[in-house]
Amino acid sequence: MSLAPETIDAGTKLGLTVEEIQSIADKIGREPNFTELCIFSVMWSEHCSYKNSIKWLKTLPRDGENMLVKAGEENAGVVDIGDGIGCVFKIESHNHPSAIEPYQGAATGVGGIHRDIFTMGARPIAALNSLRFGDLKDEKTKWLLSGVVKGIGDYGNCFGVPTVAGETFFDASYEGNPLVNAMSVGTIDVNHIISATAAGVGNPVFIVGSDTGKDGIGGASFASKDISEDSATDLPAVQVGDPFQEKLLLEASLELAKTGTIVGMQDMGAAGITCSTSEMSAKGEVGMNIWLDKVPTRQKNMHPFEILLSESQERMLVVLEKGKEQEALDIFEKWDLNCVQIGEVTGDGILNYYMNGELVAQLPAYELVLGGGAPVYDRAFTEPAYFAEYKKFDMNQLAEPSDYIKVAKELTALPNIASKRWVYNQYDSMVGINNTNTNQPSDAAVTRIVGTNKAIVSTVDCNARYVNNDPYRGAMIAVSEAARNIVCSGGEPLAITNCLNFGNPQKPEVYWQFVEAIKGMGEACRQHNTPVTGGNVSFYNQNEKGPVFPTPTIGMVGRMEDLSLKTGLGFQKEGDLIYLLGNSQNDLAGSEYLANLRGIKASPAPYFNMEEEKLLHQAIYQLVRKRILSSCHDIADGGLLTTLLESAYVHELGFEVSTDNSFRKDAFLFGEAQGRVIVSLSSSHAAELESFCKEMNLNCQKLGVIKGNSAVIDGVSFETISFFKHLHLTSLEKEILGNN
């Protein structure tokens, strides 16, 4: 079928390729009109269809004994945490909107991920985030950081879900292209999970929540192209959020869920009405008649394509049982929200969109969606030249520092090591009073489940420098560190959600990073028995200077069967002994010390051995349940010294430790070799620890003792803990605010 030039021109301007436009015409048996091209442009965008990534995403492990909902089946993943309680969780990106309008971009990212949770009938109980920015000396970076943090804080605080954990990382590769990854965690009765599926011919289709406006139009397509100087012209593609409306929508939706009248429900996120109607219909193998003139709008005379593509926030699509509409109408009237029937379910698999009685688009739902007719691309990939160069790094060609005290102070003040207090103080971490980390910090967040003695343990992790230096090993480390943080806190890792942030997939070197990271992630998930429940792919994180560091952010949840098992990271009392569990290495690769103090970016990822990592996790899990550990803190960014200092800050307890002359002193103190933790315990438990580790064949090295108020290493006082703590707490703030 030959296409009119104006059809091709319109389609390519919407982001479709000529081949895709031809495929659309072949699938529907005629030339698509403009509204239909708009629908395909968003549904076949990378953001909605995963057309450049789905081939590799399918290789990730998606089954497990605790899985209640598999990856891709619903809006979010669900794992069983016992006693009829499910944990619903997901992470997603809002990178492109945040690069253009950081406040609303970040705020609506928070709102959207919470809707993914409560659209399933779950109540969100915890929020986490993972943020990436460029060089802090750049004024635009400071503007982006300020806007993003305020957006997250304002929306989350008003919505009333505590922000319990997160990470913030700085590198020049993110200049002008910040990454804003938001995660939500909720709880649900496992017998009352709501599906995002349409069913039942004749059942009414309702839109609930806020009015539909012109904000966010084409947001899915906008998120599927590179950031450039012209991106500011895409501002209408950035949504505007209202956390107070979202709170009303949450309560109304959960109240409606209790009535048993919901057949299916889906959040209106990317691609708005288009996405929710097509995905719910395709999943249920049904169709819908949708009357766009019935949709409550904020502006008059909106065109059909504007109503269909709008990504206005705080909206849901709900299919109800016919005859039970009044219950929904009464509930949403009570909460002062829209609840308007805009369609009905049909049995033919066709989506018919009408405007004032006129059929403006008619498309088969199956052909629009991922897993249906959406294209799947097998992109070429090539190992970049830098990868081989990075492997040539030789630590022996680097002289040891002459002043270790100076290095310790400089390392503590680095933006990636210093406290992110300026960031997290803008978040409400205590609303709901179930976040136990406000009183006892631990490696992962521990959130109490009301009415039980159980807790959900959650974390977000990814060292993007490691992934850039070696995508396969770096992704394995990201999964392993997340699991390590949960185990060190007293939990049992269950499953992950991921947010895969990469550059342009049509660049073979970038796609190689993606493929290698997926392979590493998959292998680590299989080894740790933490299947993937879903997530988000964000490509095109790239500006004129090139791609961002490949950043496969891992959101992981675990369960804690008894809150008394929680283990904090802080040293508890003077006289306790300090041990290092795991194997130290003569390794500086990928470390903050090497990259940002010694100026060497070209190195591999740090040492990592999966078998050693798994052995460590098994040991920590059992030691926590033996109840002999006073504290447990994993060695990660900044190395051993940073870990010791962070444990010391909690109660401002000093320590006296000795290094191991089997290793270079800078490698021992600042290297970031994986698979290691620092524990403290009473001297009365030392023999039991050593005996247990010997039985497990796990290296157990006594470093020293908690003593005094200074950091003393090899008999030399580096400074008081209060000095380091002040430096730790204030360095980032001074950099951001420009204070001396």
Side-chain angles (χ1 to χ4, degrees):
M1 179 188 301
S2 60
L3 297 173
E6 53 268 28
T7 300
I8 295 174
D9 182 58
T12 53
K13 286 179 178 177
L14 288 167
L16 294 164
T17 66
V18 174
E19 293 76 15
E20 287 171 344
I21 300 167
Q22 184 64 61
S23 175
I24 291 166
D26 293 341
K27 287 176 181 296
I28 66 175
R30 58 179 170 79
E31 196 148 338
N33 64 34
F34 178 73
T35 299
E36 291 168 335
L37 282 173
C38 288
I39 291 170
F40 272 103
S41 75
V42 291
M43 291 307 299
W44 284 13
S45 69
E46 175 62 33
H47 194 72
C48 290
S49 74
Y50 296 152
K51 59 189 177 185
N52 292 303
S53 56
I54 190 62
K55 172 188 172 179
W56 292 100
L57 295 179
K58 286 181 176 179
T59 67
L60 294 170
R62 296 184 286 178
D63 291 317
E65 57 184 307
N66 298 299
M67 296 279 280
L68 297 176
V69 171
K70 295 180 182 178
E73 286 187 349
E74 299 293 350
N75 284 324
V78 188
V79 291
D80 187 2
I81 53 177
D83 297 334
I85 303 170
C87 174
V88 185
F89 67 108
K90 190 180 183 183
I91 190 170
E92 281 200 343
S93 65
H94 234 222
N95 303 335
H96 282 55
S98 300
I100 304 304
E101 212 299 308
Y103 180 86
Q104 289 294 351
T108 52
V110 172
I113 197 64
H114 283 316
R115 283 197 304 281
D116 278 337
I117 301 306
F118 70 78
T119 192
M120 295 182 67
R123 179 172 291 278
I125 63 170
L128 304 88
N129 56 69
S130 176
L131 312 177
R132 302 289 191 279
F133 299 95
D135 190 335
L136 256 182
K137 299 188 186 305
D138 180 71
E139 288 303 313
K140 184 174 181 180
T141 295
K142 292 180 182 180
W143 174 73
L144 289 167
L145 171 65
S146 178
V148 165
V149 172
K150 184 169 175 54
I152 292 172
D154 284 0
Y155 200 104
N157 298 351
C158 294
F159 183 59
V161 173
T163 300
V164 299
E167 57 175 2
T168 306
F169 183 90
F170 301 92
D171 185 84
S173 73
Y174 300 103
E175 183 179 327
N177 201 144
L179 303 186
V180 178
N181 297 175
M183 179 174 170
S184 181
V185 179
T187 55
I188 194 170
D189 182 329
V190 297
N191 297 311
H192 294 94
I193 298 171
I194 295 173
S195 176
T197 306
V201 174
N203 277 336
V205 179
F206 279 76
I207 189 170
V208 301
S210 295
D211 290 346
T212 296
K214 295 186 178 182
D215 55 314
I217 292 174
S221 299
F222 166 54
S224 304
K225 59 184 179 181
D226 292 353
I227 293 291
S228 69
E229 291 182 359
D230 297 327
S231 293
T233 61
D234 288 315
L235 193 59
V238 178
Q239 309 95 321
V240 178
D242 183 341
F244 300 105
Q245 284 285 95
E246 177 112 331
K247 175 62 174 173
L248 297 176
L249 183 58
L250 163 69
E251 299 301 339
S253 299
L254 294 185
E255 185 173 340
L256 180 63
K258 292 178 182 177
T259 67
T261 63
I262 298 176
V263 174
M265 182 163 63
Q266 181 162 324
D267 158 44
M268 285 188 189
I273 292 173
T274 294
C275 188
S276 53
T277 54
S278 58
E279 289 185 347
M280 290 183 74
S281 296
K283 188 174 177 185
E285 298 183 351
V286 296
M288 288 184 185
N289 291 326
I290 298 295
W291 313 308
L292 298 175
D293 50 290
K294 302 290 187 184
V295 175
T297 58
R298 287 203 296 269
Q299 287 95 13
K300 293 182 179 180
N301 302 317
M302 287 181 67
H303 295 292
F305 81 89
E306 293 176 317
I307 297 171
L308 282 164
L309 270 60
S310 169
E311 294 182 11
S312 292
Q313 298 292 284
E314 293 84 44
R315 300 178 303 155
M316 314 273 264
L317 192 75
V318 187
V319 177
L320 296 172
E321 287 187 28
K322 190 172 184 178
K324 297 185 178 180
E325 297 91 338
Q326 195 58 47
E327 288 185 75
L329 292 167
D330 291 343
I331 289 170
F332 280 86
E333 182 180 9
K334 182 181 78 171
W335 290 101
D336 196 25
L337 292 169
N338 291 321
C339 182
V340 179
Q341 184 177 354
I342 63 166
E344 62 185 7
V345 177
T346 64
D348 59 4
I350 303 298
L351 295 168
N352 296 301
Y353 298 104
Y354 296 90
M355 189 74 174
N356 298 317
E358 179 187 355
L359 182 64
V360 295
Q362 184 178 61
L363 298 170
Y366 174 86
E367 299 296 353
L368 291 168
V369 301
L370 165 69
V376 175
Y377 294 130
D378 188 3
R379 295 291 182 192
F381 53 92
T382 305
E383 181 180 297
Y386 81 81
F387 185 61
E389 288 300 312
Y390 280 25
K391 288 182 177 179
K392 296 177 182 178
F393 169 72
D394 182 0
M395 183 181 69
N396 295 319
Q397 295 181 1
L398 182 71
E400 290 193 43
S402 57
D403 188 341
Y404 275 87
I405 297 176
K406 180 174 179 287
V407 172
K409 293 175 181 177
E410 291 174 344
L411 185 66
T412 301
L414 286 174
N416 290 336
I417 301 297
S419 168
K420 309 307 183 291
R421 181 177 69 172
W422 183 87
V423 173
Y424 64 70
N425 273 358
Q426 298 185 52
Y427 306 150
D428 189 338
S429 61
M430 293 184 285
V431 60
I433 64 171
N434 294 312
N435 176 15
T436 68
N437 282 48
T438 55
N439 296 321
Q440 184 189 25
S442 54
D443 279 4
V446 179
T447 307
R448 180 186 299 107
I449 301 174
V450 176
T452 77
N453 199 38
K454 294 176 177 287
I456 292 173
V457 192
S458 55
T459 186
V460 286
D461 285 287
C462 180
N463 187 309
R465 183 186 302 109
Y466 298 172
V467 185
N468 183 68
N469 295 8
D470 185 334
Y472 182 84
R473 192 194 308 176
M476 291 186 79
I477 290 173
V479 175
S480 298
E481 185 180 355
R484 195 187 320 138
N485 283 332
I486 286 176
V487 170
C488 285
S489 303
E492 174 192 1
L494 293 178
I496 76 161
T497 176
N498 56 46
C499 203
L500 308 176
N501 309 273
F502 291 82
N504 189 329
Q506 297 176 53
K507 308 281 187 182
E509 293 82 4
V510 169
Y511 204 68
W512 176 85
Q513 293 176 325
F514 172 75
V515 171
E516 288 296 300
I518 289 290
K519 290 178 179 178
M521 181 189 308
E523 179 59 21
C525 287
R526 282 183 280 271
Q527 292 291 330
H528 292 298
N529 194 26
T530 53
V532 181
T533 63
N536 170 227
V537 177
S538 176
F539 280 135
Y540 303 97
N541 292 290
Q542 188 151 334
N543 56 35
E544 290 89 343
K545 295 182 180 179
V548 300
F549 272 175
T551 311
T553 305
I554 303 299
M556 184 178 286
V557 298
R559 63 185 165 205
M560 187 179 290
E561 67 271 25
D562 186 335
L563 262 171
S564 66
L565 292 169
K566 180 178 178 181
T567 307
L569 62 85
F571 292 150
Q572 295 300 303
K573 66 178 186 296
E574 193 158 347
D576 277 1
L577 302 180
I578 303 169
Y579 281 82
L580 185 156
L581 306 186
N583 298 318
S584 293
Q585 304 290 328
N586 263 323
D587 182 46
L588 287 171
S591 64
E592 276 289 316
Y593 164 73
L594 186 68
N596 289 323
L597 289 187
R598 302 304 295 269
I600 298 175
K601 311 290 186 181
S603 72
Y607 174 86
F608 174 79
N609 180 287
M610 179 57 79
E611 293 307 313
E612 293 176 6
E613 187 80 41
K614 287 168 60 180
L615 179 64
L616 176 70
H617 294 203
Q618 293 164 12
I620 294 295
Y621 182 84
Q622 293 182 51
L623 286 168
V624 167
R625 281 148 187 81
K626 289 177 177 291
R627 301 181 188 271
I628 66 173
L629 301 182
S630 299
S631 71
C632 186
H633 190 16
D634 84 312
I635 298 175
D637 301 358
L640 172 66
L641 178 61
T642 295
T643 302
L644 289 167
L645 288 171
E646 288 174 348
S647 293
Y649 297 149
V650 178
H651 299 297
E652 294 196 23
L653 291 169
F655 55 83
E656 294 184 3
V657 298
S658 299
T659 58
D660 186 335
N661 59 17
S662 302
F663 307 96
R664 276 182 51 150
K665 191 168 183 175
D666 55 352
F668 190 75
L669 290 176
F670 313 132
E672 297 177 13
Q674 300 294 293
R676 298 178 298 155
V677 302
I678 293 296
V679 300
S680 68
L681 69 169
S682 168
S683 58
S684 62
H685 292 306
E688 184 179 358
L689 172 70
E690 292 177 5
S691 175
F692 173 82
C693 289
K694 185 175 182 180
E695 289 178 13
M696 292 283 291
N697 198 28
L698 176 69
N699 183 58
C700 172
Q701 181 177 6
K702 181 181 174 183
L703 293 181
V705 63
I706 300 171
K707 183 178 180 181
N709 62 2
S710 295
V712 179
I713 302 173
D714 293 335
V716 177
S717 176
F718 274 41
E719 257 296 356
T720 64
I721 298 302
S722 60
F723 171 87
F724 275 112
K725 185 175 181 179
H726 178 75
L727 186 64
H728 174 70
L729 289 174
T730 60
S731 294
L732 185 65
E733 294 176 356
K734 288 179 178 178
E735 189 73 45
I736 293 169
L737 301 174
N739 298 337
N740 295 322

